[in-house]
Amino acid sequence: MHDRRPSGRFPHRIAVIGSGPRGLSVVERLAARLLADPPAVPVDIHLIDPVEVGTGRVWRTDQPMWFLMNTIAGEVSAFSGRPDGGPVRPGAGPSLAEWWQTVDPEHADPLGYAPRAVYGRYMQYVLGAVEAGLPERVRLHRTQAEVTDLEPGSDGYLLTFDDGRTLTADRVVITTGHTRPELSPDQQRLADFAAAHPGLHYYRGDSAADMALDEIPAGATVGILGLGLSFYDVMAALTEGRGGRFETGPDGPDGALRYVPSGREPLLVAGSRSSMPLPGRGRHQKDINFRYATRLFTTERIRRSGDAPVRFRTEAWPWLRAEMDLVYYATGLRRTKGEAAAEAFTADVVAAAEAGVPDVRALAARHGGDTLPPLDIDALARPFAGREYPDPEAFTAEVVAAVHADLEHAEEGNVDSPLKAALDVLRDTRAVIRDLVDFGGLAPDSHRDEFLEWFVPRTSFLAAGPPRIRLRQVIALIEAGVLRLAGPETRYETDPEGGTFAISSPWVRGSRTAATAVVDARIPTPALHRDPAPLTRALVERGVLTSYVNGSGPDAFDTGGVAVTHSPFHPVGRTGRPDHGLYVLGIPTEHTRWFMQGGSSRPGFWTDFIRDADAIAGDALAPVAEATRAALLPAAAPA
């Protein structure tokens, strides 16, 4: 393993493998630091990506415009600082919304959801501004290739590309993003069945832009596995992508939609454990500079007993639930009795918390604010659980009613709707959750069973919703007969006798439907030992990358995330020692750390996204800073 030390040779070479949002952020912070403190020695930055340098695969600029982002444009920036009146440069530049309004004012909307291809164009703009702002002696090299091996040596790290070229670097940052892990046994069963039956298709979980969905014939029946964010991408590709269009009703852009088919669509039969489409985000009402400050859910309260691993369900969740209830009932009181009533209630809840987790609903009752139904995240995440339906039509009617109800809450907004405001707490407290969870902060079994198996699916369902337009499109497609929802606990099976897939729900009579294609619309869970990428396999076999294990002995939990140190995130090898010349950031470390799939930071805020990138940049440039200080010493010495 490499030790941290000046390379003794220049130019100092830094390679960033993977140029999605994480890789771009590292390059932006490298450039910002170098611009603020110009180096006395040459520095070469190599940004490497096999698909599109500057965007990576998921955000590439040539994808169709019907694939949308999941965060409003005004809350997205790839610059680590706001514009300051000077030139756009590393450390100071416009947000996505500000840039979008200058290049496409007709379509740009700070409160809207930009197409992913537009964000890709913005990332390219950021990279161009970064390169243009580099100080003397610093060069940026863009390399479109896949790194298939990385071998430590006495002269640095030897990177091997898929085309046979090589590169030697002094520091290497791995930000490789989403991969295509090996299929699970259930997925492999479906894939093998399709391979053995001509005319059938199975599409593994991936970005919808990379699925060969065009080969599905018009009129075919397609099973879609999963109703999360990727479902909406698949839905768009097989409807708008086939020439269909949504027409706005008489109430304007926020009214109902009608779908006009092109005749080239397949029939979509979708389902999941809940068979409820992912609820929509509340209409954005918060100031762009809003930052949520928790009143109850703090690491100090939860870790009062010391640094022992936390049990999520009994020690963390009650406080998070109380925080959600506080916002829920305070929002209701604000709506019915005014701001003063909401503030008085909040003060009573915070005071009661000094004695332990408060009964927020009981305190709301004292203030006349318990008219809202109790907040039940299990019921919200599984709204049809335990119910039987006599036929698909009965289930469809209930789904449509549930989607309409969700849209009503969403239209109220993420400040005025008690429900959407409370669910936003799940997003706004992610930093606190990470502080509790990361690096073995939870007991091993609690990490696995209570957090990853119980909490994460629910928070992903309730807090990561799509734009409201997607829910209106779901209703329009159902009414047009293009989309069906199969029912709770949807089963995706094979029918050897019929030579088709079979989709059904045990809770909906008559739901069994034959299909000639199955599209897995779930983003694969990252797992080091299931990642077939040549670079990952080489580093695992060499012992450079290992999986993070929470705990020891019989209770140990192998998380599947890359084991790294705390900031600046050096990988911990088979020997138990970190490699100080390497860094691993983002999705490869998921489960070692939580929620690494975030694709941006907020304008003007140094969130964890920026702080992580900056910590790596500072560490990677340490030899340059040392050499620069040494070069300046003679000038500062007395004559």
Side-chain angles (χ1 to χ4, degrees):
M1 297 297 173
H2 277 52
D3 295 322
R4 187 204 311 268
R5 61 179 183 270
S7 64
R9 69 184 72 85
F10 296 100
H12 185 64
R13 303 153 300 182
I14 302 172
V16 179
I17 304 174
S19 69
R22 293 279 186 180
L24 178 61
S25 183
V26 171
V27 170
E28 196 266 355
R29 285 311 306 158
L30 286 167
R33 280 177 167 269
L34 290 164
L35 186 60
D37 189 9
V41 295
V43 178
D44 283 352
I45 301 170
H46 297 264
L47 185 58
I48 306 162
D49 198 280
V51 178
E52 183 175 348
V53 179
T55 67
R57 180 168 67 96
V58 172
W59 304 102
R60 68 177 193 265
T61 56
D62 64 350
Q63 62 188 299
M65 298 294 278
W66 51 74
F67 297 133
L68 303 180
M69 296 186 70
N70 183 41
T71 304
I72 64 167
E75 288 192 338
V76 174
S77 182
F79 286 102
S80 54
R82 299 298 300 270
D84 58 4
V88 174
R89 63 193 186 281
S95 69
L96 168 62
E98 292 164 337
W99 169 85
W100 194 13
Q101 287 174 313
T102 64
V103 299
D104 188 10
E106 182 180 352
H107 298 101
D109 179 4
L111 300 181
Y113 298 81
R116 286 209 291 265
V118 169
Y119 185 44
R121 289 172 54 202
Y122 169 70
M123 292 173 69
Q124 291 291 356
Y125 164 79
V126 173
L127 184 59
V130 165
E131 185 170 20
L134 292 174
E136 188 180 355
R137 301 188 183 88
V138 181
R139 295 182 300 174
L140 174 68
H141 307 265
R142 308 181 193 209
T143 301
Q144 185 173 342
E146 180 181 6
V147 179
T148 57
D149 199 3
L150 186 164
E151 188 170 5
S154 59
D155 192 38
Y157 299 88
L158 180 65
L159 282 65
T160 301
F161 299 116
D162 55 354
D163 58 7
R165 289 178 296 161
T166 61
L167 169 70
T168 301
D170 301 292
R171 300 289 186 269
V172 179
V173 186
I174 299 173
T175 56
T176 43
H178 288 287
T179 62
R180 299 181 176 97
E182 297 170 356
L183 299 179
S184 70
D186 283 344
Q187 294 165 339
Q188 193 64 57
R189 173 177 54 85
L190 295 173
D192 290 344
F193 187 76
H197 291 78
L200 298 191
H201 300 281
Y202 171 75
Y203 301 90
R204 60 172 300 148
D206 200 357
S207 168
D210 291 315
M211 294 180 178
L213 300 178
D214 287 346
E215 64 191 22
I216 297 174
T221 299
V222 179
I224 303 178
L225 203 171
L227 288 167
L229 291 172
S230 292
F231 159 72
Y232 294 101
D233 290 339
V234 172
M235 179 187 83
L238 293 174
T239 53
E240 292 177 283
R242 294 293 180 98
R245 68 182 189 277
F246 293 94
E247 294 185 345
T248 305
D251 297 329
D254 289 330
L257 299 177
R258 182 174 73 93
Y259 183 69
V260 181
S262 68
R264 295 165 49 213
E265 301 89 347
L267 170 65
L268 313 182
V269 182
S272 65
R273 281 177 295 183
S274 71
S275 232
M276 173 70 184
L278 203 66
R281 294 283 304 279
R283 180 172 55 86
H284 192 79
Q285 297 176 297
K286 299 174 182 177
D287 184 85
I288 223 69
N289 294 316
F290 169 81
R291 295 193 80 171
Y292 182 76
T294 59
R295 302 295 190 92
L296 306 174
F297 181 56
T298 65
T299 55
E300 293 76 18
R301 279 197 171 99
I302 295 164
R303 292 195 181 278
R304 278 175 175 168
S305 58
D307 294 330
V310 170
R311 301 205 65 80
F312 187 81
R313 283 294 289 268
T314 56
E315 297 178 292
W317 170 244
W319 286 105
L320 177 52
R321 169 63 188 271
E323 187 81 36
M324 295 174 68
D325 279 342
L326 172 60
V327 172
Y328 182 63
Y329 291 112
T331 304
L333 279 166
R334 186 178 299 109
R335 186 169 61 178
T336 58
K337 295 177 179 288
E339 187 65 39
E343 290 179 358
F345 161 68
T346 299
D348 281 356
V349 171
V350 173
E354 293 304 311
V357 180
D359 186 339
V360 180
R361 184 171 175 81
L363 290 167
R366 295 182 194 174
H367 289 260
D370 61 340
T371 56
L372 293 169
L375 193 62
D376 184 343
I377 71 160
D378 281 318
L380 290 168
R382 306 285 187 270
F384 314 120
R387 303 184 197 176
E388 294 187 12
Y389 299 88
D391 51 49
E393 290 74 21
F395 178 68
T396 297
E398 187 147 350
V399 169
V400 171
V403 173
H404 275 300
D406 180 68
L407 277 170
E408 289 178 6
H409 289 294
E411 287 299 335
E412 286 185 75
N414 60 2
V415 171
D416 292 340
S417 163
L419 177 60
K420 293 300 181 181
L423 294 180
D424 252 21
V425 171
L426 293 169
R427 296 173 60 87
D428 293 334
T429 58
R430 283 172 180 161
V432 180
I433 296 171
R434 277 196 292 266
D435 197 29
L436 291 168
V437 171
D438 290 359
F439 299 105
L442 299 179
D445 62 327
S446 178
H447 189 185
R448 179 188 61 239
D449 302 332
E450 299 174 352
F451 185 71
L452 293 177
E453 292 295 328
W454 180 78
F455 175 74
V456 169
R458 285 158 177 78
T459 189
S460 298
F461 183 83
L462 296 171
R468 301 187 307 284
I469 187 70
R470 290 302 199 201
L471 276 300
R472 296 193 189 93
Q473 290 174 347
V474 163
I475 293 173
L477 290 171
I478 290 174
E479 291 174 344
V482 176
L483 171 65
R484 299 178 191 168
L485 281 301
E489 298 178 22
T490 309
R491 296 171 178 169
Y492 296 81
E493 300 171 311
T494 59
D495 180 3
E497 186 174 332
T500 65
F501 297 109
I503 305 161
S504 65
S505 165
W507 300 96
V508 180
R509 294 177 191 169
S511 62
R512 185 179 176 88
T513 303
T516 55
V518 168
V519 179
D520 194 334
R522 301 170 299 178
I523 294 297
T525 301
L528 179 65
H529 294 293
R530 291 177 52 222
D531 183 356
L535 175 61
T536 304
R537 295 271 51 86
L539 294 178
V540 169
E541 291 169 7
R542 200 169 283 126
V544 175
L545 297 186
T546 60
S547 180
Y548 180 76
V549 178
N550 184 357
S552 59
D555 296 328
F557 167 46
D558 188 333
T559 67
V562 173
V564 293
T565 65
H566 289 256
S567 180
F569 316 113
H570 300 297
V572 178
R574 188 182 297 148
T575 64
R577 296 175 55 201
D579 189 321
H580 291 290
L582 297 180
Y583 313 85
V584 184
L585 182 63
I587 287 171
T589 65
E590 183 68 32
H591 304 325
T592 306
R593 308 172 67 204
W594 180 61
F595 204 75
M596 292 291 99
Q597 65 266 40
S600 65
S601 188
R602 289 181 60 190
F605 291 108
W606 270 49
T607 62
D608 290 348
F609 189 92
I610 295 294
R611 285 195 295 268
D612 290 352
D614 185 65
I616 290 173
D619 193 81
L621 288 171
V624 175
E626 182 177 334
T628 299
R629 286 193 297 270
L632 294 175
L633 283 177

